Amino acid sequence: MMRKVLFGAAMAAVMFLAGCGGGDEPFTPPPGNGGPPPSQLPSPSTAPALKASLAAKFGVVNFPIGAAIEPASTLNADAPLLLKHFSSITAENAMKPLNIWPNMPNTAPAQPAASPNFVEADVIANFAAANGIRLRGHTLVWHQSAPSWLFVGDLNNSANYHAALLQHLRTYITAVMGRYPEVYAWDVVNEAATDTPNAANPYRTDSLWYQAYQQFAARPGGEYVIDAFRIASEVRGTLSNPGMKLMLNDYNTELPGKRANVLKIVQDVINAGVPIDGVGHQFHLQVGADVAQVTAAFTAVEAISTTLVNHVTELDVSIYADPGTCYAQGTIPPCLPDYGASPPQSVLSQQATLYRALFNAFNRPSVQSVSLWGIADNHTWLNTYPVARTNRPLLFDTARDPKWAFWTVVDPSITVP
Ligand code: XIL
């Protein structure tokens, strides 16, 4: 590790001298011990491509290593990072139902807009296609992004109402999956599981989907998940992309009690005889996370069926080890106080060490895609969630340069200060 740091510094010195006219000036070592202070990061210019490092580490050619992006990232200074380091892209928001197909304004009962709006999502899909980057689909069904036209129907007649919901689901899923047939994995349903640990009813009930399906006396509210997977698999059958994976995506699968709920839902879909290809683990983690539980999340999915795959879909590592109450309250306290613009090195070092352990845990055949929820620390949802506060959760810093977290992932010989 120290060897690596010194090597990086030596390279930088060589490059500096070369830039000054052939290296014929005598090299004056810096004061002190002649080497960089131990806290010095290797030069950004020496950074290998993340995608190449991970493909080599995992022994998988073109392993999908992704980032969630907004359309702007295809045009601004994010684009070179995407091109160099990432082999997969997810739309951070552009493919969510409220963005693609909102209500038609001023309609009651709600009607869908005359046609879906693919403008923003197309920017991302076109950038991916033009640059040989794979596209992950996020997400078809999510309680937080559900336009109300989806739920309109005859509430007094269960059969009719179910038929209406099915028709809306089919209309939406057919349009969106059909627009992006190249997607290699869809989060068909996002966040269907309840947070109540080991719940008898594994579904979250604060979902318009759950509540709509509760109108059918004979059906448990969670059956919308089965319907969504059934329709998605039928639509997949019409696209010439049989390798497309249909996934159930959720957060906190690293917590055993939440994980049990997610797995029950997977089992419900399987028991219904409906195709499901795997589980997306969001892994919005924080420093101090237990990597053994990350591995346990993968093995639990593997144990259901060896045909199921695991995707890491929204990885980030908050620099705050907040208590659970922080997420419910969204205030400081109980959320930890803001570090401000310059978080302590000790926390960034802790984060880097965790990132290394995580990517070691991701090195198993069932894990077939890893995506971060952002590119660089200049743009992250964690600056506003669960509370407005500076966060630094990704592998690249606010200047888009590699952090210690990047170096620990790509270089096993590097040690953090
Ligand atoms: C987040 C986006 O990052 C934010 O920009 C948006 O305001 C809310 O959604 N789990 C998910 C993602 O599945 O879709 C969420 O993305 C983060 C949590």
Side-chain angles (χ1 to χ4, degrees):
M1 67 183 189
M2 180 54 83
R3 180 181 58 76
K4 275 288 184 181
V5 172
L6 288 170
F7 175 73
M11 282 300 288
V14 167
M15 288 162 68
F16 173 74
L17 288 170
C20 291
D24 48 3
E25 297 289 323
F27 174 62
T28 311
N33 62 7
S39 61
Q40 187 172 320
L41 282 160
S43 165
S45 64
T46 64
L50 180 64
K51 61 186 176 187
S53 293
L54 291 175
K57 178 182 174 72
F58 298 160
V60 177
V61 179
N62 295 332
F63 184 89
I65 170 75
I69 68 164
E70 298 287 10
S73 287
T74 64
L75 298 170
N76 65 23
D78 289 338
L81 259 79
L82 286 171
L83 298 177
K84 175 173 176 178
H85 293 288
F86 294 95
S87 52
S88 173
I89 284 176
T90 307
E92 182 175 358
N93 289 296
M95 289 190 188
K96 291 172 179 173
L98 276 173
N99 294 331
I100 287 207
W101 209 336
N103 293 342
M104 184 178 289
N106 307 317
T107 51
Q111 300 288 314
S115 55
N117 178 353
F118 292 116
V119 173
E120 299 232 308
D122 279 359
V123 170
I124 292 172
N126 292 342
F127 178 84
N131 294 293
I133 297 175
R134 299 170 78 186
L135 186 62
R136 235 191 144 271
H138 177 82
T139 173
L140 297 172
V141 172
W142 186 29
H143 68 288
Q144 284 200 34
S145 189
S148 52
W149 66 265
L150 289 166
F151 307 105
V152 171
D154 178 5
L155 292 176
N156 296 318
N157 181 317
S158 292
N160 287 355
Y161 191 47
H162 189 204
L165 292 174
L166 277 173
Q167 193 202 321
H168 297 156
L169 260 181
R170 189 176 297 279
T171 300
Y172 184 83
I173 291 175
T174 303
V176 180
M177 286 181 69
R179 182 77 174 189
Y180 305 109
E182 72 276 28
V183 160
Y184 70 94
W186 268 107
D187 293 330
V188 176
V189 181
N190 192 32
E191 303 182 348
T194 178
D195 290 328
T196 305
N198 304 302
N201 173 10
Y203 297 89
R204 71 161 59 242
T205 56
D206 60 344
S207 158
L208 288 173
W209 282 110
Y210 185 93
Q211 291 159 10
Y213 270 70
Q214 268 190 323
Q215 311 288 338
F216 321 125
R219 294 174 184 277
E223 190 157 334
Y224 75 91
V225 176
I226 293 165
D227 280 350
F229 274 91
R230 182 184 292 111
I231 291 167
S233 73
E234 287 168 10
V235 175
R236 175 175 58 183
T238 69
L239 311 171
S240 40
N241 183 3
M244 178 190 284
K245 303 284 188 209
L246 303 178
M247 315 284 294
L248 179 68
N249 194 50
D250 218 321
Y251 60 89
N252 281 0
T253 55
E254 70 281 8
L255 304 182
K258 174 69 179 277
R259 177 160 74 237
N261 301 336
V262 174
L263 298 179
K264 266 192 196 166
I265 296 174
V266 172
Q267 198 64 61
D268 279 355
V269 178
I270 293 171
N271 292 347
V274 168
I276 177 170
D277 299 309
V279 172
H281 306 266
Q282 293 185 7
F283 288 155
H284 292 294
L285 305 174
Q286 51 187 32
V287 286
D290 181 356
V291 180
Q293 286 300 324
V294 165
T295 298
F298 299 143
T299 55
V301 172
E302 292 162 6
I304 292 180
S305 165
T306 53
T307 64
L308 292 175
V309 303
N310 288 298
H311 285 186
V312 177
T313 55
E314 305 184 16
L315 179 65
D316 47 25
V317 176
S318 169
I319 58 174
Y320 301 95
D322 291 311
T325 48
C326 161
Y327 293 87
Q329 294 182 38
T331 53
I332 301 171
C335 299
L336 297 185
D338 192 350
Y339 283 127
S342 302
Q345 177 59 43
S346 59
V347 176
L348 297 176
S349 296
Q350 206 188 341
Q351 178 187 58
T353 304
L354 177 59
Y355 261 116
R356 170 176 282 159
L358 287 168
F359 275 86
N360 287 337
F362 300 160
N363 188 5
R364 54 189 305 123
S366 73
V367 177
Q368 297 189 359
S369 172
V370 175
S371 296
L372 290 124
W373 206 242
I375 304 167
D377 286 344
N378 59 298
H379 173 90
T380 163
W381 74 305
L382 295 179
N383 281 331
T384 52
Y385 178 84
V387 67
R389 186 178 53 179
T390 307
N391 216 324
R392 301 280 188 254
L394 299 166
L395 299 181
F396 297 89
D397 68 17
T398 54
R400 301 184 173 85
D401 287 330
K403 295 164 62 180
W404 284 108
F406 172 92
W407 288 104
T408 54
V409 168
V410 300
D411 188 342
S413 75
I414 272 186
T415 53
V416 292

